[in-house]
Amino acid sequence: MDEDVFWALIEEFRPAGPDPDADGLAAALTTRLAAGPVSLIADFAEQLAWALYRLDLQEYGRGLSGDAFLYTRAAVVADGRETYRRVLRDPARFTTYAAGLMWAESLLYVPDRAYKALTGQEWDRDTRYSYESYSNRAGWGRQAMTDDELVEAVRARVADRDLPPPVTLEDVAAVERAVGRPMPQLLRRLYLEVANGGFGVWECLSLTDTGNWFSEERDLIEAHRLFSAKDDSGFPATPEGVVPLMDRGCCMWTMIDFSTPEGRVWDWDANDCCVLVPTTLTLARWLTGWLEGWIVPGPYSPFRIHADGCPDRQPSVSS
């Protein structure tokens, strides 16, 4: 079972009318899965755990008890794929569920109940990803750092790198004119207070040509011009405001959305089924992941938000 089949089942068995706590959906799914085979139940359990795991993020669950956070995440899943994707893209949408005590605890028990109905036995099951709150270690590090703390931590991390000096306000303004959007505040501070590029998992692009290029493109403006141009290469042009930030090699780029104040991170990966997609990461989380070791060179598979109907291969998860 892939994600498309999982979400199709959710949509097929969601009641047309009100369904408090998703009890109707859970009952209908249980009946369907209890018809077998057992492999279908196991596959459903894996996909459900993966969907819940992806929502297990600090910015969603801060201030909630473990149970409340779990049941609220289940409510988001119960509302279907489109709602789920909207919440992944915008953590503020999750607060609507949490504030309204919208829970779907019964959805969690669907695989176990279906298995017992089919086999007459209890299911001592395990899944690749745990849906229990705070299991996603990449999503729950220590208390989130402030921007001041992040700037200082980045400065300390790159102290032994021979990086170009920080930029001027005029340099930032030139980039903003080229992009047509203001630079996210945290990113602006890194360029103004730390260095003109060279920080990050590998090295972020410079804003101006320093003579020490961190990719095949000399600076961020040139890279933005290249990626935003529509051509006949077969690759998509970046949406307005989405700017290449770091060349990870092997046709993979980390990008940042200037149109979002928090700096939503996008991923360009010519090796994946969807070349360009948004991720669940903000600039602050991306930097934190680099500093803590769970953002590493290579694919960003665990964080990609694929479009509906995408093959979306099952990814591995950074620890």
Side-chain angles (χ1 to χ4, degrees), residues 132-156:
E132 296 294 344
S133 296
Y134 327 126
S135 295
N136 185 350
R137 290 183 293 165
W140 285 88
R142 60 184 178 81
Q143 184 67 28
M145 285 187 277
T146 65
D147 283 3
D148 286 342
E149 290 170 332
L150 278 170
V151 170
E152 287 302 317
V154 171
R155 181 184 290 116

Side-chain angles (χ1 to χ4, degrees), residues 40-316:
L40 181 66
I41 300 173
D43 288 347
F44 182 89
E46 290 286 352
Q47 291 291 343
L48 176 61
W50 169 239
L52 294 168
Y53 184 95
R54 295 181 76 189
L55 291 173
D56 187 12
L57 304 173
Q58 182 169 287
E59 57 262 43
Y60 292 15
R62 188 181 295 113
L64 297 177
S65 70
D67 284 347
F69 185 36
L70 173 57
Y71 303 156
T72 303
R73 284 183 285 137
V76 174
V77 174
D79 268 359
R81 188 175 203 171
E82 187 55 38
T83 293
Y84 179 83
R85 292 195 183 281
R86 291 194 188 105
V87 171
L88 274 180
R89 291 187 176 97
D90 181 8
R93 293 179 180 270
F94 190 83
T95 61
T96 301
Y97 287 81
L101 295 178
M102 301 169 68
W103 290 2
E105 180 182 3
S106 57
L107 185 63
L108 306 174
Y109 311 132
V110 166
D112 305 82
R113 291 170 174 168
Y115 183 85
K116 186 171 184 178
L118 178 60
T119 68
Q121 300 175 351
E122 300 292 338
W123 191 15
D124 183 20
R125 67 182 172 102
D126 197 9
T127 51
R128 183 179 181 187
Y129 307 105
S130 172
Y131 61 60
E132 296 294 344
S133 296
Y134 327 126
S135 295
N136 185 350
R137 290 183 293 165
W140 285 88
R142 60 184 178 81
Q143 184 67 28
M145 285 187 277
T146 65
D147 283 3
D148 286 342
E149 290 170 332
L150 278 170
V151 170
E152 287 302 317
V154 171
R155 181 184 290 116
R157 174 62 69 87
V158 301
D160 60 347
R161 298 185 186 181
D162 184 18
L163 299 183
V167 302
T168 66
L169 286 172
E170 289 74 19
D171 295 329
V172 173
V175 170
E176 292 178 336
R177 285 194 299 272
V179 175
R181 303 271 183 165
M183 186 178 294
Q185 186 62 29
L186 177 56
L187 186 62
R188 171 191 284 248
R189 289 191 58 184
L190 292 170
Y191 280 111
L192 287 170
E193 300 176 36
V194 178
N196 186 5
F199 48 86
V201 183
W202 283 355
E203 298 96 6
C204 290
L205 298 179
S206 296
L207 297 192
T208 61
D209 184 2
T210 65
N212 181 19
W213 297 10
F214 296 114
S215 77
E216 293 185 0
E217 286 67 46
R218 65 185 176 188
D219 56 37
L220 189 144
I221 292 178
E222 181 178 279
H224 173 59
R225 187 178 299 119
L226 174 67
F227 276 91
S228 59
K230 294 182 179 179
D231 55 32
D232 55 4
S233 67
F235 290 124
T238 54
E240 183 177 354
V242 175
V243 178
L245 183 63
M246 185 181 72
D247 183 354
R248 307 200 308 274
C250 299
C251 297
M252 296 182 293
W253 281 76
T254 297
M255 301 199 164
I256 185 167
D257 189 352
F258 275 35
S259 66
T260 58
E262 73 278 11
R264 176 64 57 177
V265 171
W266 285 56
D267 183 44
W268 175 286
D269 189 344
N271 311 291
D272 209 323
C273 48
C274 294
V275 174
L276 177 64
V277 294
T279 73
T280 59
L281 300 166
T282 62
L283 176 61
R285 279 197 73 229
W286 180 73
L287 290 168
T288 300
W290 163 48
L291 294 167
E292 294 182 348
W294 48 266
I295 291 290
V296 297
Y300 281 7
S301 301
F303 312 109
R304 304 185 109 229
I305 304 174
H306 290 251
D308 288 346
C310 172
D312 192 5
R313 295 183 301 275
Q314 195 66 260
S316 59

